[in-house]
Amino acid sequence: MPCQTGRVSWEKNISILGLVPGLHAAGSCVKGSRLARRRQIDLLSATIRDLQAYLSNGTITSLQLTQRYLDNIAANNHAGLELRAVIETGPYENLMAIAQYMDDLRANGTILSELHGIPMLLKDNIATDVSLGMNTTAGNYGFLGSQVPGDAPVTAQLRAKGVIVIGKANLSELANYKALNVTNGWSARGGQTQSAYVVGGFAAGGDPCGSSSGSAVGVSAGFSSASLGSETDGSLVCPANRAALYTIRMSVGLSSRTGVIPISSTQDTTGPMAKSTYDCALILENMVAHRPDPLDPYTKNGSLHALSNYTRFALHPHATFANKTLAVPIQFFQNETISGNPPEINMALNAAIARMAELGAIVINGTSVPSADQLATSTAETIVLDTDFKVDLATYLSRLSNSQIESLADLIDFDDAHADLEFAPGECCQEILVRSVQTTGRNATEYIHARATDYNIGRTNGIDYVLDKYQADALVLPTEGYASSLAAVAGYPIVSVPLGYLSNGQPFGMAFIGRQWSEATLISLMAAWEENSPPRRVPEQLV
C-alpha cells in the first residue's frame, strides 16, 4: 500500500492562515525504508527502561527508534485507524539530525541520563523552541505561526537530558476550556482523537477523555515511548486511565508552568504519561524545579520540596503496601448515579482494595470526605478558573512574537471569524471564553472567596481532613468520576494506574491522592500495585 499523506485540514485554508515554514504534518510520508533494523522491538509494550537497554546493547539506535515511531504515526495517525493523536511531527531532517547526535554522544561514551535518545510526544500547549520546527497552539488555528520565546522550562530540562521531542500531541482544544459542550479529544488543528482500544474508535464509544487525549493515545498506540500532558482538573489522569497508562499529576508548583498555554496558575500542572511507574518517576525527576522559576512564583515553594531522585521510590524497598494506610471513601465517589461509572469499575476497585490489604496495606473502608457533596455543587472552581484564564493567558500572550492573538478578546473574535475551522461538527459556541473575558481580576471579592472555598473543599474538609483523621498515606478512588476534582481544587498530587477493561475494550484506572508534596509516597504505591497486578494490555487491533 502506498504511503498515505494524511494531509491536515489547514492546508485547504492556507490562504487564510499562511503556511508555517518547516511544518511537518503528522501522518505524512516519512522515508520509512531509509534505515535498516536489526530486530523488531514491540513499541506497544516497551518501556523507557526497555528501550534504554536496547540502545545500550546496540540492539537499536536512536535514529532507528525515531524512524520506527514515525512509521507508526504515518500508519495510524491520519491513515489506518485514524487515531489523530498527533497534530504535527518535527521536520524529518531535524529529527534525524537530533537522533544521530544522541547516537554519536552514546558512541563517544556520553550518556546524558536514562532518557538519552528517547523520543517523546509533548502536548501541543507546551512550548518548543522555533528551531525544532513545530508550533505551540493548543489545537487552535489562532496560535498557528506565533513564535514562543523558546522551550518551556520543562521542555528544556527534558531535552537537556537527551529526550527527542518527536511531535506535538493533539488535545481537547484550549485544554478543554473553550465551551460548555466540547467533544473530548477534538481540536481544530488535530481533528478527533480516538481510543486505540475500542474497535470503531470514537463513534463506537472510544472516547479518549480530555484534554491530554493525544498524549495518552499516542503512547498507547506506539507513537512514542512516553509523553507529557497537562492537567487543570482531570486532563492527565482521565486520558491516562482510558489508555491503560500510568501518570502523575504533581503538586502545583513542583515544576514550572512557564511556556505552557495556561488555564489557571492556581491549578495547572504538567506531567508524564508512560507504560510504567518507573518511567513516570524518571520523567518527573528530570522536570521538577530544583530552583525557583522567576516567571512562575509557585515554584518558589515547590522547589523546596523537589527531590533529585524519584525513581528509587518505584523500586524495592520502597515499592510496597506494607505499613501503608489507605483511606477508601465510598460515599459519593463510588456512587454510580453521581459518577456515571458502570458497575464494573467499582467491582474492580473493590477487588483491588482487597488485594492491597492482602499485600500488607492497612485499609480503612468507608471513610467520609466532609466536602464531597460540594464538589458537585460548588461554583468556586469555575470562578477561579475563569478569572485565572484571562489573567494567565494575557501573561502568556505577552511573551509571544508574530502572534495574531494578543488578548482573550482577540481569541474569541478569531474563533467567531473562522467558525468553519474552530468548531467541531454540531458545535457552535465558546461560552467559557466569553464568561472568562467578563471577569474583573484576582482582587475581586468573588474570586478571593472562591479561592478560599476551593481550599476548604480540597484541603481543610477534604484530603487533609481524611488523611489526618485516619493517619493515612493516601486516598484510593476510581479515576473516573470526581477524584481529579478533589485533588485539583487543593492543588495536591493525584496519580492513576491501570485497573481494568470494559467489555468494549476501553481501559479504566485506579487513583491515589496524597498530601501536598507526597509524590514519593504515591510513586511507591503505584509501583507496588504495578508489581502485583496483571501487565497492562496493549490495543488488540494494533497487535
Side-chain angles (χ1 to χ4, degrees):
M1 183 175 181
C3 180
Q4 300 295 310
T5 60
R7 296 185 183 278
V8 289
S9 58
W10 55 265
E11 292 190 1
K12 69 177 185 293
N13 298 286
I14 213 72
S15 61
I16 298 174
L17 300 170
L19 179 63
V20 179
L23 185 62
H24 182 82
S28 59
C29 289
V30 293
K31 303 171 181 67
S33 61
R34 176 178 291 193
L35 301 173
R37 299 168 190 150
R38 294 189 182 182
R39 106 182 202 199
Q40 290 294 310
I41 295 170
D42 182 10
L43 296 185
L44 293 175
S45 61
T47 65
I48 292 175
R49 290 187 88 187
D50 295 333
L51 295 175
Q52 201 57 247
Y54 292 135
L55 289 166
S56 296
N57 66 25
T59 298
I60 198 169
T61 65
S62 289
L63 198 68
Q64 293 166 332
L65 184 59
T66 301
Q67 183 68 63
R68 288 280 310 278
Y69 284 124
L70 290 173
D71 289 347
N72 286 356
I73 293 170
N76 283 301
N77 193 54
H78 288 290
L81 296 182
E82 298 182 352
L83 298 177
R84 295 188 178 273
V86 182
I87 289 182
E88 62 182 278
T89 54
Y92 184 77
E93 298 300 336
N94 279 23
L95 292 175
M96 294 296 101
I98 294 168
Q100 184 63 63
Y101 176 67
M102 292 300 159
D103 286 336
D104 291 345
L105 286 178
R106 186 182 297 274
N108 290 329
T110 300
I111 307 296
L112 299 175
S113 76
E114 288 184 80
L115 294 171
H116 184 108
I118 298 294
M120 283 180 58
L121 286 168
L122 270 57
K123 187 175 179 179
D124 187 44
N125 62 348
I126 303 172
T128 48
D129 188 79
V130 66
S131 65
L132 294 186
M134 290 178 281
N135 292 274
T136 304
T137 69
N140 185 286
Y141 281 112
F143 289 93
L144 188 62
S146 62
Q147 292 188 2
V148 297
D151 282 333
V154 290
T155 306
Q157 287 174 253
L158 292 174
R159 288 183 63 201
K161 296 298 184 178
V163 166
I164 301 169
V165 180
I166 195 172
K168 305 300 277 290
N170 200 7
L171 69 165
S172 304
E173 186 171 320
L174 298 176
N176 228 350
Y177 215 70
K178 181 178 180 180
L180 296 176
N181 297 309
V182 196
T183 303
N184 280 330
W186 184 91
S187 77
R189 289 195 63 219
Q192 180 62 62
T193 308
Q194 48 191 349
S195 172
Y197 283 88
V198 177
V199 176
F202 191 88
D207 184 335
C209 205
S211 65
S212 303
S213 48
S215 298
V217 173
V219 176
S220 72
F223 293 175
S224 72
S225 62
S227 65
L228 277 194
S230 68
E231 173 164 331
T232 305
D233 184 342
S235 294
L236 281 164
V237 296
C238 191
N241 110 108
R242 294 190 187 180
L245 298 177
Y246 297 83
T247 192
I248 300 170
R249 182 251 200 247
M250 69 185 80
S251 303
V252 171
L254 190 63
S255 185
S256 170
R257 288 84 50 83
T258 299
V260 181
I261 299 177
I263 291 178
S264 163
S265 55
T266 304
Q267 292 186 196
D268 287 353
T269 65
T270 54
M273 295 181 178
K275 303 185 191 79
S276 74
T277 303
Y278 187 93
D279 288 359
C280 281
L282 176 63
I283 296 168
L284 180 70
E285 75 183 23
N286 284 289
M287 62 182 289
V288 294
H290 292 291
R291 292 191 300 271
D293 173 3
L295 299 179
D296 184 351
Y298 282 79
T299 59
K300 182 176 181 180
N301 191 20
S303 64
L304 300 175
H305 299 273
L307 305 181
S308 59
N309 186 334
Y310 285 95
T311 52
R312 65 191 174 103
F313 297 101
L315 304 170
H316 289 294
H318 302 283
T320 178
F321 288 113
N323 301 315
K324 296 291 196 310
T325 300
L326 304 177
V328 183
I330 294 177
Q331 186 179 5
F332 184 84
F333 293 100
Q334 291 192 45
N335 185 322
E336 292 159 10
T337 301
I338 294 172
S339 68
N341 291 344
E344 296 96 317
I345 292 181
N346 282 340
M347 292 171 60
L349 180 70
N350 291 331
I353 290 166
R355 177 61 177 150
M356 290 186 284
E358 291 174 359
L359 293 166
I362 301 168
V363 174
I364 304 173
N365 248 313
T367 60
S368 175
V369 179
S371 63
D373 290 340
Q374 288 181 268
L375 282 174
T377 59
S378 173
T379 61
E381 184 181 18
T382 297
I383 293 168
V384 170
L385 300 188
D386 284 354
T387 304
D388 281 352
F389 185 60
K390 182 180 179 181
V391 175
D392 293 331
L393 182 65
T395 300
Y396 176 85
L397 292 172
S398 71
R399 297 171 184 152
L400 298 181
S401 57
N402 194 39
S403 177
Q404 58 190 318
I405 305 297
E406 297 182 356
S407 67
L408 178 54
D410 285 349
L411 179 59
I412 293 170
D413 289 343
F414 179 90
D415 290 346
D416 284 339
H418 301 91
D420 59 324
L421 292 174
E422 282 300 329
F423 297 107
E427 297 176 7
C428 68
C429 306
Q430 43 188 337
E431 303 97 327
I432 293 177
L433 299 190
V434 172
R435 199 175 63 202
S436 178
V437 81
Q438 295 170 348
T439 59
T440 57
R442 290 176 175 144
N443 291 325
T445 301
E446 183 183 41
Y447 176 81
I448 294 169
H449 177 72
R451 280 286 300 271
T453 300
D454 274 351
Y455 277 8
N456 181 65
I457 292 172
R459 298 183 178 189
T460 309
N461 282 309
I463 298 165
D464 290 341
Y465 175 91
V466 177
L467 298 183
D468 289 346
K469 180 177 181 178
Y470 299 102
Q471 292 300 292
D473 295 285
L475 303 178
V476 184
L477 311 91
T479 305
E480 295 275 352
Y482 280 91
S484 67
S485 295
L486 186 63
V489 297
Y492 283 8
I494 177 173
V495 301
S496 184
V497 298
L499 179 60
Y501 303 82
L502 300 177
S503 58
N504 68 351
Q506 184 82 296
F508 57 87
M510 174 172 63
F512 297 100
I513 299 176
R515 303 174 190 274
Q516 191 176 31
W517 321 123
S518 67
E519 284 75 9
T521 297
L522 297 183
I523 288 168
S524 70
L525 294 172
M526 294 171 71
W529 174 252
E530 180 180 3
E531 184 175 329
N532 292 282
S533 62
R536 60 177 295 277
R537 299 179 194 171
V538 300
E540 292 184 4
Q541 57 185 339
L542 288 173
V543 175

